[in-house]
Amino acid sequence: MSTISREEVAHLARLARLEVTDDELDAFAGQLDVILESMKTLAEVNTDGVQPTSHAVPLVNVFREDQPQPSLPREDVLAGGPDTAEDRFRVPRILDEEA
């Protein structure tokens, strides 16, 4: 028996705003079922005495220090956008006023 149904995959796709075909739903359901079954197997592993960790190896920051540099002129930057207003990019509203 499958861990995840085709309808559940369709629901996940809608939540993620993904448009998927019927063939993709079947394929994804099978792939997700394999992943979920693997997670069940891992959940059965005895982890008593094992310290929680977020990474298997120590992390090292490889980023450079921030160094202020001259930026592009505002007009050049705004010229790359589809619409501007009051020296800013103008974008469509996606949230209601109440949010």
Side-chain angles (χ1 to χ4, degrees):
M1 181 173 165
S2 293
T3 306
I4 189 165
S5 70
R6 190 174 189 274
E7 291 75 26
E8 289 171 315
V9 175
H11 179 69
L12 289 172
R14 278 191 302 279
L15 290 174
R17 296 183 178 181
L18 298 174
E19 186 174 321
V20 294
T21 65
D22 288 340
D23 290 339
E24 288 172 327
L25 282 176
D26 293 332
F28 293 155
Q31 293 169 355
L32 287 170
D33 193 50
V34 170
I35 293 169
L36 292 172
E37 287 299 322
S38 297
M39 293 296 102
K40 281 184 183 178
T41 302
L42 285 175
E44 296 170 4
V45 173
N46 181 359
T47 57
D48 292 343
V50 177
Q51 291 294 322
T53 182
S54 62
H55 296 85
V57 296
L59 295 180
V60 178
N61 186 354
V62 296
F63 297 117
R64 65 169 170 74
E65 292 294 321
D66 286 339
Q67 297 176 353
Q69 299 178 9
S71 61
L72 295 171
R74 182 182 307 258
E75 298 79 27
D76 292 349
V77 173
L78 292 174
D83 193 10
T84 60
E86 299 176 10
D87 285 338
R88 297 184 178 108
F89 291 113
R90 186 162 187 257
V91 296
R93 180 182 305 270
I94 59 169
L95 300 174
D96 292 331
E97 289 291 327
E98 298 174 15

